[in-house]
Amino acid sequence: QLRAPSNSVPTELAFDSHFSESFHVLSSLIFFCTEQAVILEKLGICSEFAVWKFLVNGIFPPGPCDLSIKETLFDTVPVRIYRSKTLSPEKRRGLVWIHGGGGIFGGFGKFSKYRWSLESATVVVAIGYPLAPEHPYPAQQCSCYMAVSHFLKHAMDFGVDPQRIILGGDSTGGSIVAAISQQLVLRQDLPQVRAHVLVYPFLQALDFNLPSYQQNQWVPLLFKTEIIHFGQFYLTGNSSGADAVMFNAHVPEKLRIKYQKWISAEHIPEEFKAQGYVPFIPGHFSEALFKECTRIFEATFSPLLTEDTILRQFPETFLLTCEYDILRDEGLLYKKRLEDNGVSVTWHHLEDGFHGISSLIGFGPLEFPGTRRSLKSKLLYWWIVLTIINFLLGCR
């Protein structure tokens, strides 16, 4: 497994001095945790994934909450429902939130995300889907599909207008939203979802050398080596062959040519290729690796492969991308695909954002000061929240 060299922490990111200093501290901390997790696994104390689950799920409990919170089951799937304690004579808007974490980490999340319930008069349902490796792919998609279907069918029981239900997710959660929607748009017995909210979503596993992968491969919170390492573990239960996958050796030429119409650096706007990008030549194809990774070519794993006939039925979409994120270009490619199919897209790009930036809010001493910086108000996190709230308020 490849690891970052000690001098690989980014040094030329366009942040102000305070933000850059905090960013480097965070980078060093993540590199340290990564190495310690590997050491603990080699010593037989605990697995590397157990360490990361502990860190990602959060060491510190959330603060006080002035929402009504209820935990229940939607068709055997655990969910947590957040809503304002103030009664409303009208049916509210509904937001189903699917957390990120590569299908391996994460949980219901912290309270800060769900203050949307207060600000936008929205009932938020967070899904606690099962995680790999105990529950391998596609258990995550199947569970979320069941939970969302249940909520769409019984929304009135929770004071929610079934015609105003929005699906949202960050990172892998955004991927799951796009995956289960491929089936939901075909359901004639359920209300159609009003909109999607996708925050730096993971959308493909065919090309790990798009410009953003090259430019941001050592930018926290998501390194190129780690997304491949964790992604293979999520998909196959092991991470063998990760080095070869880094060079796209798992994709045969026939399929690479077939999907170039959707996944290619040629479709990325030139301004995102101005620095740190070199046209990539794939490594030697591995038949064995292709067979092991064959499920990445399923549209439920790589939603960028969704057929046009399905994609054009998708609802209005809010899409957030970050400049310093290896998944940035996947978001740009997805935006293009949606727009090419006539789907309305509200796109916001954080020029000083990085992957997972909103998840650091409320993380105690590990909270990153920069996550509260905005382009205008110096409160980046609340800028994200308010931007999404404004989108939700527009979904009437």
Side-chain angles (χ1 to χ4, degrees), residues 49 102-104 131-133 135-141 202 204-206 208 227-240 245 250 289-298 300-302:
F49 293 100
I104 303 174
L131 302 174
H135 304 276
Y137 166 85
Q140 298 71 32
Q141 287 79 356
F202 166 81
Q204 63 88 31
L206 281 70
F208 292 107
I227 191 174
I228 295 173
H229 177 56
F230 293 145
Q232 273 200 280
F233 190 80
Y234 166 55
L235 183 65
T236 67
N238 67 78
S239 57
S240 61
V245 172
H250 60 304
L289 196 56
F290 166 65
K291 291 180 178 179
E292 185 175 355
C293 299
T294 187
R295 300 200 73 173
I296 70 164
F297 299 98
E298 297 175 0
T300 49
F301 191 90
S302 298

Side-chain angles (χ1 to χ4, degrees), residues 191-337:
Q192 288 300 300
V193 170
R194 173 63 181 82
H196 290 167
V197 173
L198 308 181
V199 178
Y200 35 74
F202 166 81
L203 295 165
Q204 63 88 31
L206 281 70
D207 190 348
F208 292 107
N209 290 278
L210 292 168
S212 60
Y213 273 94
Q214 294 187 26
Q215 296 160 347
N216 303 315
Q217 60 180 317
W218 296 120
V219 177
L221 297 171
L222 187 61
F223 305 135
K224 178 178 176 178
T225 53
E226 297 305 332
I227 191 174
I228 295 173
H229 177 56
F230 293 145
Q232 273 200 280
F233 190 80
Y234 166 55
L235 183 65
T236 67
N238 67 78
S239 57
S240 61
D243 292 5
V245 172
M246 288 192 58
F247 297 99
N248 299 346
H250 60 304
V251 182
E253 183 179 8
K254 180 180 179 180
L255 290 180
R256 186 170 66 251
I257 294 174
K258 175 182 178 180
Y259 292 122
Q260 275 182 345
K261 60 182 177 180
W262 295 333
I263 303 174
S264 171
E266 295 178 0
H267 305 310
I268 303 298
E270 289 300 318
E271 61 264 32
F272 294 100
K273 297 185 284 188
Q275 294 182 346
Y277 170 65
V278 178
F280 180 77
I281 299 176
H284 180 69
F285 171 63
S286 168
E287 182 72 29
L289 196 56
F290 166 65
K291 291 180 178 179
E292 185 175 355
C293 299
T294 187
R295 300 200 73 173
I296 70 164
F297 299 98
E298 297 175 0
T300 49
F301 191 90
S302 298
L304 267 171
L305 304 184
T306 305
E307 293 293 336
D308 289 340
T309 53
I310 298 296
L311 206 58
R312 66 174 58 109
Q313 299 180 60
F314 275 23
E316 176 183 3
T317 297
F318 173 94
L319 176 65
L320 178 74
T321 57
C322 294
E323 180 65 24
Y324 302 104
D325 178 9
I326 59 175
L327 301 185
R328 179 198 70 202
D329 291 349
E330 301 181 15
L332 298 178
L333 292 174
Y334 193 65
K335 173 179 178 289
K336 181 180 186 304
R337 288 220 58 207

